[in-house]
Amino acid sequence: MKRVHNFSAGPSMLPLAVLEKAQADLPDYQGSGMSVMELSHRSGLFTDIITNAEKLLRELMNIPDHYKVLFVQGGASQQFAAVPLNLMKNGKADFVNTGSWSKKAIKEAKKYLDVNVIASSENENFTYIPTVHKDMIDPEADFVHITTNNTIEGTAYHEIPDTGNVPLVADMSSNILSEEIDVSKFGVIYAGAQKNIGPAGLTVLIVREDLIGNATPQCPTMLDYQTHSDSDSLYNTPPTYGIYIAKLVFEWLKDLGGLQAMQARNEKKAALLYDYIAVSDFYSSPVKEESRSIMNIPFIIPGRDLDGEFVKEAQQEGLETLKGHRSVGGMRASIYNAMPVEGVEDLIAFMKKFAENHQ
Ligand SMILES: *Cc1c(COP(=O)(O)O)cnc(C)c1O
């Protein structure tokens, strides 16, 4: 068996231990004679899986009791519409524009309500996170929306804005479970699973209970948070296999010591790479220091046309998917939870060698 270090931004690598557990379980899950994929979503075995997945996520993120955990489909992109449809009352919302995903969320929300972009870093190519003060927020806004980690640009909030009584909604797709967060600061957290949780097809929602049950009459049943809340995410067939893999990932995280330990490991990985880029006179980071992501790390080779060569040679050494997003260029190393420290060390060793060969 050959495994590479996969630096893909998403879908991204999963822990080998999880894949091996899934492989062992595949044809006959717990003596049922069936794969998890073949189990009824109403069966006892699957009920145990989804119940435990929720329990583990609550434990890992320390989710307060007055929040619901919902497992839905449609990706984070579906939530760009679902959030306004569930939360709108006054018909206006405040958004912070920190990159491509924020822009998509803004564009979709504009179909339903008046969007006020209260802060943006577009003027500097989204290379930093703008400061959000409480007095910038419209107290009548239905919610404030942020993208906590900007997957494409490689920026992240290191302080969660205080939005007072206005619910804070966060697209946490690319940094959920990467560090400890205080869930009680948020009204809604949503994340597509394919970065830090499991396979694509599952979307995780964490919603404060008072924000459920207020959807507009036009809101499709499947986008209404109440639908999924009332049925414990079993209104229709949920993405059963994705939920099962997520449960295995949550178990893996817990065994590793939970989010505190994961955060320490992620900070160490990111520091190794940023520190090397800082001392190197060959590579540089396009992102302002105080706004850097520990999950997605873009880097460039200034003044040289070597990106294609870098990506090609890296791939030959088992370092996969390092091409930067087409909107940013350069390279990007996505080092989510599942990326081991050795993956980053191997990347840095390759970067050193590549720099020497092309000085
Ligand atoms: C990947 C990503 C999305 C899109 O997720 P889908 O599940 O593909 O809809 C949205 N926001 C952020 C921050 C992402 O990283």
Side-chain angles (χ1 to χ4, degrees), residues 21 24-36 39 45:
K21 175 87 175 78
D25 280 351
L26 189 67
D28 175 12
Y29 182 68
Q30 293 197 358
S32 65
M34 288 180 266
S35 162
V36 172
L39 287 176
L45 279 176

Side-chain angles (χ1 to χ4, degrees), residues 244-266:
Y244 157 74
I245 299 286
K247 188 201 87 142
L248 297 184
V249 170
F250 300 157
E251 281 167 351
W252 170 82
L253 258 171
K254 188 179 165 181
D255 288 348
L256 222 114
L259 293 200
Q260 199 180 5
M262 195 72 247
Q263 178 171 352
R265 196 175 97 160
N266 285 333

